[in-house]
Amino acid sequence: MLKERLKECREQAGLSQAALARKTYISQQAIQRFEVGLTNPTVDTLRALADALDCSMDYLAGRTDER
């Protein structure tokens, strides 16, 4: 669920993986790994992604359908 929602939110925000990486101070390689499901972000990383993408951590994690 995370991988789909992360990519969906990033694309809706009009951000490339590189742009999201710059905005969150997370490497582009890490974002790519999250989006293909190879690894999962830490809570702090998930918080940074949610803040940058203007959605909740619960939405990214698939715990709710409300952004």
Side-chain angles (χ1 to χ4, degrees):
M1 182 67 69
L2 172 77
K3 64 183 186 176
E4 293 91 357
R5 290 208 170 163
L6 177 58
K7 185 174 182 178
E8 166 199 320
C9 289
R10 178 181 58 76
E11 290 176 345
Q12 286 179 353
L15 296 171
S16 65
Q17 288 180 349
L20 181 58
R22 286 189 299 274
K23 192 171 184 176
T24 58
Y25 302 100
I26 299 166
S27 73
Q28 181 179 349
Q29 293 81 8
I31 292 170
Q32 189 271 337
R33 288 191 305 267
F34 301 150
E35 287 189 1
V36 296
L38 291 177
T39 60
N40 288 312
T42 64
V43 172
D44 289 337
T45 300
L46 186 62
R47 181 180 301 118
L49 291 167
D51 288 347
L53 296 170
D54 195 30
C55 64
S56 71
M57 292 171 54
D58 282 342
Y59 180 77
L60 283 179
R63 294 174 47 107
T64 183
D65 289 332
E66 294 182 35
R67 285 186 66 142

